[in-house]
Every structure is written in C-alpha cells, then in structure tokens.
Amino acid sequence: MSHGIRLAVIALTIASPLPAMAQSTADLARLVAEQGPIVEAVRTFITAQHDFDLATIERMTAEDYVEISPLGEVDPRAKMLGFYTPDKKVAAPAMQIGDSVVTMIDDRAAVVTTSVSYGVGTAGEPPRTLALRAVFVARRVAKVWKLVSAQYTPIRSKN
C-alpha cells in the first residue's frame, strides 16, 4: 500500500466517528435537558430532608407519596412529613449525594437511582461512612417533577 493511500485510509478512519460523536453530543444535550430537572428534584428533596426543610419537602412530594425506610417500613406522605417538623430537627452529619441514573418511563414519569452517604463518628474515634441506595419515582405534574415514591436501602460496608 502506498504512503498516500495509507494516509487516506487513516484519515477516513479518524474522520468516520465524527458524525457519530456529534450525534452523541446532541443526545447528551437532550438527555441533560430532559433528565437534569428530574435529578435536580431528587437532589433538592434529599437536601431538604437532610436540612429538615419541611416546606421544600412538602413542595417536592405528590399527595400520594409513599416512602420505604431503610428498615422496610412503609410511610405515607403525612407520616414522612411528621419526621421533619421543626421540633424534631437534629444536627445532621455531613452528607454526599452520588451520581444518579435516570430511567424514563415516558415523558411524565421516571425512576431515579442514586446513593446518599453520611459521615458519622464519635469523639476520639475515626469517622465512618454510612451509605444508602435510594430509588425515587418521579411524576411530572404541570411541568414540575414531583416525587411519588422513595425507597432507601442500606449499602453494606466493605469492611
């Protein structure tokens, strides 16, 4: 194969992924536009629970919201809201929300899977991390994403 033909083959090989890459970039932009508000709703809700922000929790959840606790208890919205009243507020440990995976059901519903970890410890002991896998079901209501369900499952420590 001559040097000129070899360069042409290399150039075609390198250039051929460009339309696919452009398509992937367009797909990524569409996904961010579509799924970003859903992920943001979940992150806002988790942060509101951490901060005992009852008004935000109420705003982010649908009337038929149901939560399954890490202990397996099924809590309807009213019971869940009762955990976050101002008189029950406690100092919360540092929290980190992991990356989210969104599965669209249609343009009005989605399942979001993420993780939430907390740094806990007592004086004189090294801090440890407690982590939960969290699964949320979100429903679009009048252009706003509301959470209708959450389930929290403890993640076993690797130690």
Side-chain angles (χ1 to χ4, degrees), residues 1 3-4 22 24 29 36 39-40 48 52 55 58 76 80 94 97 110-111 121 126 128 133 138 145 157-158:
M1 185 182 290
H3 184 61
S24 296
V39 172
E40 186 57 33
F52 284 74
E58 288 177 320
M80 178 274 300
I97 303 170
V111 176
R128 59 190 176 110
R133 180 73 56 215
W145 288 98
S157 172
K158 292 182 172 127

Side-chain angles (χ1 to χ4, degrees), residues 58-65 77 139 141 146-148:
E58 288 177 320
R59 180 174 46 85
M60 300 302 299
T61 54
E63 292 295 322
D64 57 346
Y65 176 87
R77 183 175 187 256
R139 176 174 61 218
V141 178
K146 298 269 188 175
L147 301 179
V148 295

Side-chain angles (χ1 to χ4, degrees), residues 16 19 48 50 55 74 78 94 111 128 141 153:
S16 64
H50 178 266
V74 178
V111 176
R128 59 190 176 110
V141 178
T153 304

Side-chain angles (χ1 to χ4, degrees), residues 30-31 33-38 102-111 137-146:
R30 181 187 54 76
L31 282 174
E34 180 180 83
Q35 297 178 1
I38 303 165
V102 178
T103 303
M104 298 299 297
I105 297 170
D106 57 28
D107 65 342
R108 295 173 302 158
V111 176
V137 177
R139 176 174 61 218
R140 190 187 322 245
V141 178
K143 297 184 180 182
V144 175
W145 288 98
K146 298 269 188 175

Side-chain angles (χ1 to χ4, degrees), residues 6-149:
R6 188 172 301 146
L7 288 176
V9 169
I10 292 170
L12 287 173
T13 304
I14 292 170
S16 64
L18 291 178
M21 210 173 355
Q23 181 64 38
S24 296
T25 302
D27 287 346
L28 180 59
R30 181 187 54 76
L31 282 174
V32 169
E34 180 180 83
Q35 297 178 1
I38 303 165
V39 172
E40 186 57 33
V42 167
R43 294 176 79 76
T44 298
F45 176 76
I46 293 169
T47 301
Q49 283 187 319
H50 178 266
D51 297 343
F52 284 74
D53 182 350
L54 185 59
T56 299
I57 296 169
E58 288 177 320
R59 180 174 46 85
M60 300 302 299
T61 54
E63 292 295 322
D64 57 346
Y65 176 87
V66 174
E67 184 171 291
I68 302 169
S69 78
L71 299 176
E73 297 170 353
V74 178
D75 298 326
R77 183 175 187 256
K79 184 175 179 185
M80 178 274 300
L81 291 172
F83 297 135
Y84 298 99
T85 57
D87 61 307
K88 294 193 175 121
K89 184 172 183 173
V90 295
M95 175 190 71
Q96 183 173 3
I97 303 170
D99 291 338
S100 298
V101 176
V102 178
T103 303
M104 298 299 297
I105 297 170
D106 57 28
D107 65 342
R108 295 173 302 158
V111 176
V112 180
T113 305
T114 191
S115 62
V116 184
S117 57
Y118 301 91
V120 296
T122 54
E125 293 184 19
R128 59 190 176 110
T129 300
L130 297 177
L132 300 170
R133 180 73 56 215
V135 178
F136 298 88
V137 177
R139 176 174 61 218
R140 190 187 322 245
V141 178
K143 297 184 180 182
V144 175
W145 288 98
K146 298 269 188 175
L147 301 179
V148 295
S149 177

